Amino acid sequence: MSSCSYTLFASLCLTLLLLLSIQCATASNIGQGYRLISTEKTSDGGLLGHLQVKQKNNVYGADISLLQLYVKQETQNRLRVHITDATKQRWEVPYNLLPREKAPLKKQAIGRLTKNPLKVQEFSGSKLLFSYTADPFSFAVTRKSNGQTLFNSSSSGSNDFGEMVFKDQYLEISTQLPKDASLYGLGENTQPHGIKLYPGDPYTLYTTDASAINLNTDLYGSHPMYLDLRNVDGKAYAHAVLLLNSNGMDVFYRGTSLTYKVIGGVLDFYFFSGPTPLDVVEQYTDLIGRPAPMPYWAFGFHQCRWGYHNLSVVEDVVENYKKAQIPLDVIWNDDDHMDGKKDFTLNPTNYPRDKLVPFLEKIHSIGMKYVVLIDPGIAVNSSYGVHQRGIANDVFIKYEGEPYLAQVWPGAVNFPDFLNPKAVDWWGDEIRRFHELVPVNGLWIDMNEASNFCSGLCKIPRGKKCPTGTGPGWICCLDCKNITKTRWDDPPYKINASGQQVPIGYKTIATSAVHYNGVLEYDAHSLYGFSQTIATHKGLQGIQGKRPFILTRSTYVGSGKYAAHWTGDNQGTWENLKYSISTMLNFGIFGVPMVGSDICGFYPQPTEEICNRWIEVGAFYPFSRDHANYYSPSQELYIWDSVAESARNALGMRYKLLPYLYTLNYEAHISGAPIARPLFFSFPDYTDCYGVSTQFLLGSSLMVSPVLEQGKSEVTALFPPGTWYSMFDMTQAIESEGKYVTLDAPLHVINVHLYQNTILPMQQGGMLSKVARMTPFSLIVTFPAGASNGEAKGTLFLDDDELVEMKLGNGYSTYVHFYASVNHRTVKVWSEVEDGKFASDNGWTIEKITVLGLGGSGHPTNLEIDGEPVTTASKTEISNLAHKYLHNLDDKKTSVMVEVKGLDIPVGKNFAMSWKMGLSL
């Protein structure tokens, strides 16, 4: 829920004026920068230097006279450049929140002075080269393999930006960029131009409760990272840049340069060498933390609504999904289950425990799950035990020595300080108490930017009910006054907060409020949701001893290690449906692969057609959930018969693909690889796909091409070079040289295609993931059209999904490598199994193998399994069908699909199957 759901922050005219004023200010030249006055090698192999300001000025405050520079090649693929005050400790992202190597403490004395410093010096690693110019100081990062400059802060010859600036509340640094660089990232925001960063668009990073309908606005998360993809003579090279800084910032991208303007902290850059997009995300998540393992049921379908007024409504929703034969794994409650919207409580009238617990026992017995919402704001109430225990443990954020007072849904609240170890313990204890009351299966943490319906310093009004209980619940009813007396509340540089340069304390915690150990909200603001996520993860894991499931709205660098994310309050419009794809793909790059948007839109009521098309897309989000606003009519998937049909079709395919999605979850956990990916992740050399924002891949090979426009019954989709097979009719194929193809897409059809050289594990589906998981497997093997020679491969990961850790070697997991080849007439399919006992103990078997794209048209013969001929007396059947090409490069080419069914091959044991094609090739 968002306090801003119904209000766009500014009119179009105001927005345009602000953008113009911001752009006019981007090409700043504040001072003459710094000069490098000393360098020395450190004991850990790094480079340490000192920078002295050349000429002081007072624009945005006084310059910091002496800076410390630290450069280290931390891994073969990662270079760090850290710049801070040489004489005083400055705020940095806490090392206990985001574990990493510590930069050296400030030196008490300047190292060896270089009397005649060279103009350019180099510091070389295995993949990246750091070089600097001493006066004025600038640095560049270069790829060693081809000399490509990845980052260059020199302002020489540039009219776009000036020299580096480092003041207490204003840091500025820029880089030159080639015109043909494609940039992605810098979120969270809703990007109207698609996934690629667009020159001239504002990119402000500061966690804010602003509805996702607001374009080019700082939203719920802060991810100061971008991926840079370039094509040099037909070869792609990708790298990434992270500025690890939690303070508010504006980032100005002009196409040929990029400028950071940050209101505090340090310049802590990490450079990741790639060179492929997948390499970049692997290297990035190696630093920030690998994505969290998710339980199997999390990949099922989820249903939620703000406005399930009582338990009987929830029971009816579950029953209606069953009647409509639409898969459903998880039922959710927004704040409707709470007593007076207070965390960790139950409404005794609408959700009485003596009725809720039996309901949960019933759905748990069939494998369904239950997730509820909690907000960070704790109601100020003398009879509310959660708050009283919080006061007793001194866990709340302070303002002038007293718990800071704000307003959210229950009325007056205090905010826990999750930087305080005592608050983390208290929070975990409250989760334990609540879990004893209600055996929930996961927690949904919302409003954690943190959102506040008021601004400034507030008091509870006397003689007035607050909130009134009528009208919108997000209207401030506390007695408040603005806080502008400190430089933390009114900093000299105004970031483009909320898309209109509002005060940075607007509708959130006052930025002069104080956290544990004197940390200012000004510095830690964008870490609030991240710190709550970590505390929630610790609490859930501690009480359940199971793999936690957490959904968070606010995120920061590293949030994916602990939680899933949904993209917040969207609208049921065609534009928002389209935007959801770009946001989802960005979060995969950010290391948060378990992501999705509210299917059919959070508000207002979607049309029947939009909801049809949205479930066709949302069925393939990594996190798939229908969610609606309190004031919207019901939009569960069974409400419209046509939507129910689309849901059965799209979710039916999702549930067959659950083993593939779960395997992608494992790959994400061990390597950071996104579940949903832009096309350029698999086809980085193919420049036509660099800007594609209306299609996406699941894993490396499964492409979704949805309808995103009203009234359309076909879709024009880009097919990168190779052969693609329809997942809904595997006899249909498209052989592409890298062209757009128009596909039929009537209302209930979603186009999903599988790429060549792939082995895709599937099961038979079902109404619940628990049921679908125990059905027999099938393998889909794809070769290039008409292949007489070729190879394919795939993987399958299986485990006990309740275990906290997702790994091999514990006796409760199995990993299978599948391989296939065709060599002239002989087709082979085989497996190599790691730790097969778990799969064998569960009795999983392969019932069918389908091979697509084989050359010729003859009937397969000489079928063998593990070296033994398959006789006609067995139950195994083998057949073939000719492919139909919607588009192909050679009209004379023929190919067939061969299907072998009636198999009973144990998944947990190595197998080998072969046959010969009847027609010589």
Side-chain angles (χ1 to χ4, degrees):
M1 301 177 297
S2 170
S3 60
C4 308
S5 294
Y6 295 97
T7 306
L8 286 171
F9 277 112
S11 68
L12 178 61
C13 291
L14 177 58
T15 301
L16 289 173
L17 287 171
L18 284 167
L19 289 177
L20 286 171
S21 66
I22 293 164
Q23 293 304 308
C24 290
T26 60
S28 56
N29 288 280
I30 303 172
Q32 298 180 19
Y34 287 76
R35 66 169 62 91
L36 183 67
I37 59 172
S38 72
T39 60
E40 61 179 286
K41 292 290 183 69
T42 62
S43 59
D44 63 356
L47 175 70
L48 191 67
H50 287 88
L51 309 172
Q52 190 173 64
V53 69
K54 295 185 67 174
Q55 182 178 344
K56 293 185 177 182
N57 66 74
N58 289 313
V59 178
Y60 300 135
D63 295 282
I64 293 177
S65 299
L66 189 66
L67 302 178
Q68 177 176 283
L69 166 71
Y70 174 66
V71 183
K72 187 181 179 187
Q73 189 81 36
E74 292 191 335
T75 70
Q76 286 191 345
N77 304 296
R78 183 173 80 230
L79 173 73
R80 185 182 190 184
V81 178
H82 183 277
I83 303 174
T84 187
D85 191 328
T87 61
K88 294 180 181 178
Q89 190 75 25
R90 287 184 63 80
W91 165 257
E92 298 187 45
V93 174
Y95 284 83
N96 64 324
L97 283 189
L98 192 66
R100 59 200 189 278
E101 290 187 36
K102 289 191 175 182
L105 297 175
K106 61 184 185 295
K107 301 274 286 186
Q108 297 303 314
I110 299 174
R112 297 191 305 272
L113 291 178
T114 306
K115 295 182 179 179
N116 298 301
L118 297 176
K119 290 185 177 179
V120 178
Q121 289 279 2
E122 295 182 348
F123 179 69
S124 180
S126 58
K127 300 291 180 66
L128 298 174
L129 179 69
F130 173 86
S131 61
Y132 60 83
T133 300
D135 189 5
F137 173 76
S138 66
F139 72 89
V141 177
T142 306
R143 190 185 301 280
K144 287 185 70 175
S145 64
N146 62 4
Q148 189 178 64
T149 299
L150 310 186
F151 192 96
N152 183 1
S153 69
S154 172
S155 66
S156 176
S158 173
N159 293 320
D160 288 340
F161 60 87
E163 303 296 340
M164 184 179 77
V165 181
F166 205 117
K167 301 167 184 284
D168 190 28
Q169 289 183 268
Y170 182 79
L171 287 64
E172 179 181 327
I173 193 168
S174 303
T175 180
Q176 301 174 19
L177 290 169
K179 289 182 179 179
D180 60 352
S182 295
L183 270 59
Y184 311 86
L186 295 179
E188 177 180 9
N189 58 31
T190 301
Q191 300 174 189
H193 297 105
I195 187 173
K196 281 176 64 173
L197 300 187
Y198 192 78
D201 277 359
Y203 297 96
T204 298
L205 281 68
Y206 190 72
T207 59
T208 305
D209 176 8
S211 170
I213 68 175
N214 294 284
L215 307 181
N216 292 326
T217 298
D218 46 312
L219 298 181
Y220 312 107
S222 176
H223 295 270
M225 171 268 197
Y226 69 85
L227 184 151
D228 183 331
L229 179 61
R230 306 175 191 178
N231 194 286
V232 181
D233 299 325
K235 176 68 175 174
Y237 294 90
H239 69 275
V241 179
L242 165 68
L243 174 56
L244 188 59
N245 183 302
S246 63
N247 291 83
M249 67 179 78
D250 289 330
V251 185
F252 297 97
Y253 172 51
R254 304 177 194 84
T256 57
S257 67
L258 184 143
T259 297
Y260 299 89
K261 298 187 176 186
V262 194
I263 60 173
V266 300
L267 296 177
D268 193 4
F269 282 103
Y270 291 85
F271 300 91
F272 307 90
S273 66
T276 70
L278 270 179
D279 290 337
V280 164
V281 179
E282 179 174 12
Q283 294 153 16
Y284 181 59
T285 56
D286 181 55
L287 172 69
I288 69 169
R290 301 292 194 209
M294 294 288 157
Y296 201 85
W297 55 263
F299 290 92
F301 182 69
H302 303 243
Q303 178 60 53
C304 185
R305 174 180 169 80
W306 178 27
Y308 287 150
H309 301 295
N310 55 53
L311 179 59
S312 64
V313 175
V314 174
E315 292 173 319
D316 287 345
V317 170
V318 172
E319 183 62 25
N320 286 334
Y321 267 93
K322 181 180 178 181
K323 289 179 180 178
Q325 289 292 288
I326 300 171
L328 178 65
D329 257 78
V330 191
I331 188 70
W332 294 56
N333 266 127
D334 203 300
D335 66 7
D336 303 290
H337 68 285
M338 298 180 184
D339 182 14
K341 303 186 185 301
K342 298 190 296 292
D343 282 351
F344 306 118
T345 64
L346 282 180
N347 184 307
T349 302
N350 296 330
Y351 284 85
R353 185 175 184 273
D354 62 348
K355 292 184 178 180
L356 177 60
V357 171
F359 167 72
L360 297 183
E361 289 174 349
K362 177 182 176 181
I363 66 170
H364 286 161
S365 70
I366 62 172
M368 282 189 66
K369 307 297 179 182
Y370 180 58
V371 177
V372 299
L373 174 139
I374 49 175
D375 290 334
I378 302 299
V380 177
N381 187 316
S382 60
S383 63
Y384 178 36
V386 176
H387 185 261
Q388 293 307 302
R389 288 186 291 271
I391 290 292
N393 284 281
D394 194 22
V395 302
F396 297 115
I397 294 170
K398 302 287 184 60
Y399 187 86
E400 295 182 341
E402 297 295 327
Y404 177 75
L405 191 71
Q407 180 189 331
V408 203
W409 299 110
V413 300
N414 297 141
F415 286 114
D417 176 9
F418 295 106
L419 299 183
N420 185 341
K422 289 172 60 178
V424 174
D425 292 342
W426 161 83
W427 186 253
D429 184 61
E430 297 302 336
I431 291 174
R432 177 190 61 78
R433 291 169 181 266
F434 182 64
H435 193 267
E436 291 175 354
L437 184 71
V438 185
V440 298
N441 303 105
L443 290 174
W444 168 22
I445 50 178
D446 192 9
M447 309 289 285
N448 53 350
E449 293 73 31
S451 178
N452 181 0
F453 298 164
C454 302
S455 301
L457 182 61
C458 302
K459 296 181 179 179
I460 298 174
R462 293 184 177 182
K464 184 175 74 172
K465 186 180 179 181
C466 176
T468 62
T470 61
W474 55 83
I475 304 300
C476 179
C477 55
L478 300 178
D479 289 338
C480 304
K481 63 179 181 180
N482 291 333
I483 306 174
T484 58
K485 62 184 178 182
T486 77
R487 61 193 180 102
W488 312 116
D489 300 295
D490 188 23
Y493 175 77
K494 308 296 188 288
I495 62 170
N496 191 32
S498 299
Q500 58 176 8
Q501 293 184 316
V502 300
I504 56 174
Y506 177 73
K507 295 295 182 74
T508 188
I509 300 167
T511 43
S512 54
V514 180
H515 291 253
Y516 179 70
N517 272 351
V519 170
L520 286 168
E521 169 70 8
Y522 179 88
D523 293 315
H525 170 84
S526 289
L527 298 176
Y528 191 78
F530 180 41
S531 61
Q532 185 198 17
T533 301
I534 295 173
T536 305
H537 186 275
K538 181 179 179 181
L540 271 180
Q541 187 169 300
I543 60 164
Q544 292 182 317
K546 298 179 181 180
R547 191 173 299 173
F549 176 81
I550 301 164
L551 183 72
T552 180
R553 190 168 75 176
S554 185
T555 59
Y556 186 71
V557 175
S559 288
K561 182 179 179 181
Y562 305 96
H565 172 64
W566 95 107
T567 64
D569 298 342
N570 58 359
Q571 284 184 314
T573 65
W574 294 100
E575 292 80 9
N576 278 250
L577 170 58
K578 183 177 179 180
Y579 300 152
S580 74
I581 296 176
S582 294
T583 305
M584 170 184 69
L585 296 178
N586 265 325
F587 269 89
I589 294 172
F590 295 149
V592 190
M594 191 62 167
V595 59
S597 295
D598 287 346
I599 292 170
C600 297
F602 182 62
Y603 74 96
Q605 180 182 17
T607 66
E608 183 175 352
E609 183 186 4
I610 287 176
C611 210
N612 268 279
R613 294 308 191 186
W614 210 315
I615 186 55
E616 290 171 358
V617 179
F620 299 97
Y621 292 154
F623 172 64
S624 184
R625 184 184 73 159
D626 182 313
H627 181 42
N629 182 277
Y630 186 94
Y631 297 97
S632 298
S634 295
Q635 62 184 46
E636 288 79 12
L637 300 181
Y638 53 77
I639 296 295
W640 293 287
D641 289 343
S642 69
V643 176
E645 182 177 346
S646 293
R648 285 189 290 269
N649 188 44
L651 288 173
M653 178 59 72
R654 180 187 182 90
Y655 273 63
K656 293 176 183 177
L657 291 169
L658 285 177
Y660 178 63
L661 291 171
Y662 194 68
T663 300
L664 293 177
N665 175 35
Y666 174 68
E667 292 179 2
H669 180 57
I670 63 172
S671 72
I675 297 173
R677 307 174 189 176
L679 271 59
F680 67 76
F681 264 64
S682 289
F683 305 95
D685 296 337
Y686 182 49
T687 57
D688 286 1
C689 68
Y690 285 11
V692 172
S693 305
T694 55
Q695 299 168 251
F696 59 94
L697 294 168
L698 292 175
S700 62
S701 307
L702 197 66
M703 184 168 71
V704 181
S705 305
V707 172
L708 303 172
E709 297 178 74
Q710 183 177 4
K712 297 292 185 181
S713 58
E714 59 185 26
V715 60
T716 300
L718 180 66
F719 283 81
T723 308
W724 299 82
Y725 299 91
S726 170
M727 287 297 296
F728 287 93
D729 181 356
M730 293 180 190
T731 65
Q732 291 190 7
I734 292 173
E735 188 182 13
S736 175
E737 56 186 355
K739 300 291 185 182
Y740 280 89
V741 178
T742 299
L743 308 169
D744 287 336
L747 190 60
H748 306 302
V749 170
I750 173 69
N751 280 280
V752 183
H753 289 83
L754 185 63
Y755 192 57
Q756 65 188 34
N757 307 323
T758 301
I759 301 180
L760 179 72
M762 299 177 68
Q763 287 176 286
Q764 295 179 0
M767 295 298 103
L768 281 162
S769 65
K770 181 180 179 180
V771 174
R773 196 178 193 197
M774 299 313 297
T775 61
F777 280 86
S778 61
L779 301 179
I780 312 300
V781 182
T782 60
F783 290 116
S788 58
N789 288 280
E791 296 180 345
K793 62 182 179 180
T795 57
L796 172 65
F797 179 80
L798 303 161
D799 77 342
D800 179 346
D801 68 312
E802 291 195 342
L803 292 179
V804 171
E805 293 190 72
M806 179 183 250
K807 64 179 183 179
L808 287 173
N810 59 6
Y812 297 95
S813 58
T814 295
Y815 194 52
V816 186
H817 302 264
F818 295 112
Y819 302 94
S821 67
V822 55
N823 186 6
H824 297 293
R825 295 177 57 207
T826 301
V827 180
K828 296 180 180 179
V829 183
W830 70 98
S831 72
E832 295 177 3
V833 180
E834 296 183 55
D835 298 341
K837 184 178 183 299
F838 177 73
S840 297
D841 289 348
N842 279 274
W844 280 305
T845 60
I846 298 169
E847 188 272 337
K848 182 171 67 174
I849 296 176
T850 305
V851 182
L852 311 180
L854 294 170
S857 57
H859 191 78
T861 60
N862 302 104
L863 176 64
E864 293 184 357
I865 299 177
D866 295 331
E868 297 292 327
V870 177
T871 66
T872 54
S874 75
K875 296 180 180 179
T876 302
E877 300 177 16
I878 187 166
S879 60
N880 66 305
L881 287 171
H883 283 298
K884 298 169 287 186
Y885 286 91
L886 178 62
H887 183 273
N888 66 339
L889 304 180
D890 182 357
D891 292 337
K892 298 180 180 180
K893 183 183 293 184
T894 59
S895 65
V896 296
M897 174 183 84
V898 173
E899 184 175 89
V900 185
K901 60 183 180 180
L903 300 169
D904 189 24
I905 299 172
V907 172
K909 295 182 179 180
N910 294 347
F911 80 90
M913 174 187 290
S914 65
W915 68 82
K916 292 186 182 294
M917 297 302 295
L919 179 67
S920 297
L921 303 177

